[in-house]
Amino acid sequence: MDIKGVIFDSDGTLVDSERIAARLLWEMLASRGIDLPEHEVLDRFRGVQFAVFAARLAEEYPGFEAEPFMRQFRVDSLVRFAQGMAPMPGALEFVRSLHVPKCVASNGPRVKIETCLGTAGLLEYFHGRIVSAYEVQAWKPAPGLIVEAAKVLQLPPHQCLLIEDSHAGVEAGLAAGVWVAGYGEEDFGPYLNETRFTRTSTYQDVAKLLSA
């Protein structure tokens, strides 16, 4: 590894937003008569383009209207995120300690990314270096979002490390040609034999990886 820049996912990697989002989605679905366990809502939602998540629900549940559901979530989730958002354990310290260029690449819209990073005290470290899938029209697991992030860093993909907590993100990173650190407690078993993938449960693990 010859890492010259770091690309961060946002939700569940930099900010602890996924649990907040999953709770809101669970509440919204329950109000529409859709009874799914909260952990299943999180599993379905994590790392997936939101429109795809909603479309799959519409396929499974006749009468479910995806568009109004998505509009309500966009409005209500910003309120929840702004009320309180913690950085993931060790994320703030790790970001502060980085001495290489860094950026954020997320499937979310820019207003969501900036709200979450701002509430968690991380936005100041990524001014001008946020890549939203909605702006480049490329969502994980497709590689386009990560390729664009490498361009923002002005680096070839093979000199970038992507820190990612979802399968969709890992797949996007590997397809884009970057190195990938699978962060958190997700089961990353399918990627353990990939040369450019490393399992990193904590930011201390990521720091060790960069210093190796």
Side-chain angles (χ1 to χ4, degrees):
M1 292 175 58
D2 180 27
I3 300 302
K4 304 295 186 184
V6 177
I7 303 167
F8 291 86
D9 171 52
S10 180
D11 299 310
T13 301
L14 280 175
V15 295
D16 194 11
S17 56
E18 289 182 332
R19 292 183 304 105
I20 297 172
R23 165 57 62 132
L24 174 59
L25 288 168
W26 176 77
E27 293 172 1
M28 291 174 60
L29 290 172
S31 72
R32 289 163 169 78
I34 299 176
D35 185 19
L36 288 173
E38 192 171 340
H39 69 84
E40 184 177 339
V41 174
L42 177 58
D43 289 342
R44 289 179 176 222
F45 173 73
R46 176 181 285 147
V48 178
Q49 183 183 354
F50 189 46
V52 172
F53 167 79
R56 289 172 180 168
L57 288 171
E59 290 174 359
E60 291 181 48
Y61 300 95
F64 176 83
E65 297 183 76
E67 287 299 327
F69 179 81
M70 289 192 292
R71 286 196 299 270
Q72 182 187 344
F73 176 77
R74 294 286 186 219
V75 174
D76 293 353
S77 62
L78 286 180
V79 174
R80 296 259 181 126
F81 295 151
Q83 287 173 344
M85 177 72 61
M88 295 299 291
L92 185 56
E93 295 79 6
F94 179 78
V95 168
R96 284 173 173 165
S97 71
L98 272 181
H99 298 295
V100 297
K102 53 190 174 291
C103 70
V104 173
S106 171
N107 269 358
R110 178 173 291 269
V111 65
K112 175 195 173 185
I113 302 167
E114 292 182 347
T115 298
C116 291
L117 293 177
T119 309
L122 284 156
L123 183 59
E124 64 181 287
Y125 301 101
F126 295 101
H127 282 306
R129 295 201 168 182
I130 293 174
V131 186
S132 165
Y134 286 81
E135 295 172 0
V136 301
Q137 289 295 293
W139 283 263
K140 307 168 193 176
L145 179 66
I146 308 306
V147 171
E148 189 63 30
K151 291 179 181 177
V152 167
L153 295 179
Q154 299 182 323
L155 292 169
H158 69 268
Q159 290 186 334
C160 299
L161 174 69
L162 170 66
I163 305 175
E164 178 61 69
D165 76 315
S166 73
H167 283 237
V170 170
E171 291 167 15
L174 292 174
V178 302
W179 297 84
V180 181
Y183 167 78
E185 300 307 318
E186 182 67 24
D187 177 11
F188 289 114
Y191 314 107
L192 295 180
N193 291 325
E194 294 280 353
T195 302
R196 287 180 286 107
F197 177 84
T198 304
R199 181 82 172 82
T200 54
S201 298
T202 67
Y203 273 100
Q204 287 82 3
D205 294 337
V206 180
K208 291 176 184 176
L209 179 64
L210 285 174
S211 63

